[in-house]
Amino acid sequence: MSDNINQPANQQDNQKTVQSLTQPLTHNDIRNFVPSDNCLNGKTILVTGAGDGIGRVAALTYARYGATVLLLGRTSSKLEYVYDEIESLGGKQPAMLPMNLEGATYAEMQQLEGLINKEVGQLDGILHNAGMLGQLTPLEMYDVDTFAQVMKVNFTSTFMLTQALLPLLKDAENGSIVFTSSTVGTHPRAFWGAYALSKQAVEGMSDIFTQETQNTTNLRFNCVNPGGTRTNMRAHAYPGESPMSLKTPEDIMAGYVCLMSDESIGIRGQVVELQPKD
């Protein structure tokens, strides 16, 4: 017999409220998240690959919901454009952090951590969005220099930057690190070579970070798979595909906002598909 049967109605209602507040979000909840105004207010979020595509839209969206956005990318002119867009929207003043992840050293990333600490004083989240497609060709024919380049941009630099910024992230009340994966990372596919392998590695890294930090910190590590989206990388991967058949980066932003907001506290070690196939 339920213990609730003899409890006052208002106490039962309170218990239901607590239970509903502590229920973990499902992936469908994350995909269909409806952000409240200023749900990211007070947070500082770094976005890599912020000059174009999903990274640009994510930076603008985070700023729109109240975050201070740190724009990291290799092309200063693109970062300046996004900077101006954020200011024109009335967002909090962003910061530009030009960095070529392919050539950046760990020492430079540590210096970046010191700069953010000195100039901003906090870091609440990272969206690892920067990526490189590489070649679509059999592994036996894959150019080894291109392979190393893709792995550095998509995986090794992502690990290095995360590790370098961990001291700041650990100081955050609820730090969130979001890695970008892909369907070919979760399910490797022939001819996708270094790109697929780098995304597999990213998912594994997120899992290991989760296991190593979940009992000692408030950090949460998750991956997001944006799915087929109207970006330049997608156009290079599928040159015969009509871009109008794809969702835009704006269409999939709910998940990106959710995983950075406090609504996703407790969501750890997940790979969230933003466009799951039926």
Side-chain angles (χ1 to χ4, degrees):
M1 183 178 293
S2 171
D3 292 337
N4 289 340
I5 195 167
N6 295 318
Q7 293 177 353
N10 62 339
Q11 187 174 343
Q12 293 182 36
D13 290 341
N14 289 339
Q15 283 191 342
K16 290 178 181 178
T17 300
V18 170
Q19 289 171 358
S20 67
L21 289 173
T22 57
Q23 284 294 322
L25 296 176
T26 68
H27 287 199
N28 200 47
D29 293 332
I30 296 171
R31 286 188 288 269
N32 296 297
F33 181 64
V34 179
S36 60
D37 292 342
N38 297 318
C39 66
L40 301 178
N41 195 42
K43 294 187 180 296
T44 298
I45 301 172
L46 185 148
V47 179
T48 73
D52 201 3
I54 290 174
R56 169 186 161 272
V57 175
L60 292 171
T61 304
Y62 291 155
R64 187 174 296 117
Y65 287 104
T68 297
V69 184
L70 310 182
L71 308 168
L72 190 148
R74 64 180 180 178
T75 307
S76 294
S77 59
K78 290 184 177 181
L79 298 183
E80 289 170 1
Y81 185 79
V82 180
Y83 182 105
D84 291 342
E85 284 187 290
I86 290 174
E87 290 214 313
S88 69
L89 291 171
K92 294 175 181 174
Q93 185 177 24
M96 294 190 303
L97 304 173
M99 177 176 282
N100 184 346
L101 292 174
E102 181 187 349
T105 65
Y106 185 65
E108 289 172 331
M109 294 180 184
Q110 289 179 306
Q111 291 170 6
L112 179 64
E113 190 270 344
L115 178 65
I116 295 171
N117 190 32
K118 178 182 177 182
E119 299 297 332
V120 185
Q122 69 181 79
L123 184 64
D124 301 280
I126 305 175
L127 170 60
H128 286 290
N129 171 76
M132 179 180 178
L133 179 63
Q135 299 173 314
L136 298 181
T137 191
L139 278 175
E140 66 175 318
M141 300 170 60
Y142 210 102
D143 178 75
V144 294
D145 291 333
T146 303
F147 188 96
Q149 186 181 23
V150 173
M151 293 301 292
K152 176 64 186 297
V153 172
N154 293 0
F155 172 64
T156 308
S157 68
T158 300
F159 160 70
M160 292 164 57
L161 186 60
T162 302
Q163 190 187 76
L165 297 178
L166 271 179
L168 274 174
L169 291 162
K170 285 182 177 180
D171 286 341
E173 187 174 353
N174 293 294
S176 177
I177 298 89
V178 178
F179 301 104
T180 302
S181 188
S182 167
T183 301
V184 298
T186 306
H187 305 288
R189 191 181 306 159
F191 310 115
W192 280 80
Y195 184 81
L197 291 170
S198 69
K199 295 304 182 180
Q200 263 197 301
V202 162
E203 290 191 10
M205 174 170 58
S206 179
D207 192 357
I208 291 173
F209 265 128
T210 298
Q211 294 180 53
E212 293 176 347
T213 62
Q214 62 185 348
N215 295 324
T216 57
T217 76
N218 289 328
L219 295 175
R220 58 193 191 275
F221 296 84
N222 292 286
C223 292
V224 62
N225 172 7
T229 310
R230 202 181 305 171
T231 63
N232 289 332
M233 182 182 288
R234 179 74 181 194
H236 282 105
Y238 295 91
E241 183 180 57
S242 170
M244 301 309 293
S245 67
L246 302 171
K247 289 188 176 182
T248 66
E250 288 84 355
D251 292 332
I252 60 171
M253 276 299 115
Y256 285 90
V257 175
C258 183
L259 290 173
M260 283 297 172
S261 78
D262 287 348
E263 294 295 323
S264 63
I265 290 174
I267 304 299
R268 291 175 166 177
Q270 302 293 304
V271 180
V272 182
E273 294 185 35
L274 297 184
Q275 299 187 60
K277 295 182 179 179
D278 296 332

